[in-house]
Amino acid sequence: MIPSSTSWRYRLAVASRALAAIGGGYLLTALATTLLATCLPQSRAEATITATLLAFAVFCGVVIWVFAARSAWRAWVGVLAPSALCGFGLWLQGSLA
């Protein structure tokens, strides 16, 4: 039996979303955590702990967003656009080497 093109499209869309959730979610979470840790008005250790604890919520939110988006393209844009903004914010601070 030859699989239909819609089933391959569907599988490709799910694989793309999974990649966006795992890889893109990790990228966004790492950048957001670093940006938050450098911006919090606490000692370095407290800011790092606070940002790291919030990273779990950020990652969960990204995964939910990716699978709730209308299409895989919107999921990717919804992950990469905030990642670019966080990266730009880090670049402005000089924290991104």
Side-chain angles (χ1 to χ4, degrees):
M1 176 183 220
I2 298 173
S4 67
S5 63
T6 56
S7 69
W8 284 107
R9 284 184 185 166
Y10 176 76
R11 290 177 183 178
L12 185 61
V14 171
S16 177
R17 287 176 190 253
L19 186 63
I22 297 167
Y26 181 82
L27 174 69
L28 178 58
T29 302
L31 289 171
T33 302
T34 307
L35 183 63
L36 186 61
T38 58
C39 292
L40 288 174
Q42 299 172 340
S43 69
R44 180 178 273 185
E46 290 175 351
T48 303
I49 290 171
T50 303
T52 304
L53 288 173
L54 289 173
F56 293 105
V58 170
F59 190 77
C60 287
V62 169
V63 171
I64 291 169
W65 158 253
V66 164
F67 285 100
R70 206 175 266 212
S71 68
W73 286 108
R74 287 186 186 205
W76 276 104
V77 170
V79 170
L80 294 179
S83 297
L85 287 175
C86 288
F88 183 68
L90 286 170
W91 179 75
L92 286 177
Q93 285 184 347
S95 299
L96 193 62

